Amino acid sequence: MKPDMQPEEQEFELPGQMAFFPEMEPEDPAPYILLQKPISPPELSQMEQWKLSVLLSDVLQRFDGRLPERWLYEIMVGGGFLSYFVYADALGALTDHGAAVLMPDESGEQCCVLTETGRRNVKNLRLMVPKLFRDQVHLCALRYVTRQRALRDLQISYETDAKGCRLCLRCTDHGAEMFFLRISAPSKENAEELGERILRNPARFFGKILDLAMTNEEEPFDLTDN
């Protein structure tokens, strides 16, 4: 104790760096925010109308600029992306500005067709729509169109009896029957699940069967012990 210090005072020396940076607990720690719920991304319907019109054009452009209007409706409204009124406004903006026209196809079904103006617009503006939304809608569109096109040439029916259920597949080409196949399943639920899987890519399914038939070879016989 130094002579000039009071009896109750004491001097402490910290070795090395601790003399400059003593370890002390903060009296008031920095505040932090605890999120109770994750932040959800914005919804597609919250975008501006012109961007929604561009998105519709982008979907049409993927399918050579033409789709039945009923299909486009099922993709956007049935897929849960837009309400009917938002969809109608976006489609109406396309037709009002000459970017698309509604016209019947050979079978009389109403189709939505991009014009040259619509093709140029979607080429220049498609990147203004966030990729997140483009990917979601295009994936739904690809699945829906693939299924609908498959159903045009593929007829599916089910035959049930006491032993289970048979999935019946009839594939046609311009009205002519090309393939007929029955697959037995233990229940109708199993047969329907199998049918849904085939509808995902029926061309690949039947193609594999035909490839197997064309490349099928007789099993070799071993006569060495004869």
Side-chain angles (χ1 to χ4, degrees), residues 75 111 113 161 193:
I75 292 168
C111 289
V113 184
D161 55 25
E193 180 181 0

Side-chain angles (χ1 to χ4, degrees), residues 13-109:
E13 294 184 358
L14 297 174
Q17 294 182 357
M18 296 301 294
F20 301 97
F21 304 101
E23 294 183 350
M24 298 180 61
E25 293 292 335
E27 296 181 359
D28 187 12
Y32 65 95
I33 301 175
L34 179 62
L35 296 177
Q36 300 294 334
K37 296 182 179 180
I39 300 176
S40 58
E43 295 183 0
L44 179 62
S45 59
Q46 296 175 352
M47 287 198 310
E48 299 93 326
Q49 184 190 81
W50 69 269
K51 289 186 179 181
L52 295 177
S53 297
V54 171
L55 183 57
L56 293 183
S57 301
D58 196 32
V59 173
L60 293 172
Q61 181 75 351
R62 174 172 284 275
F63 302 101
D64 298 327
R66 175 189 294 264
L67 274 181
E69 195 277 326
R70 175 175 58 87
W71 292 12
L72 188 61
Y73 172 87
E74 287 298 331
I75 292 168
M76 302 304 300
V77 180
F81 298 110
L82 301 177
S83 68
Y84 168 77
F85 299 103
V86 175
Y87 165 79
D89 289 342
L91 182 60
L94 282 180
T95 56
D96 291 344
H97 291 85
V101 294
L102 296 176
M103 55 186 300
D105 60 5
E106 297 80 4
S107 62
E109 185 171 15

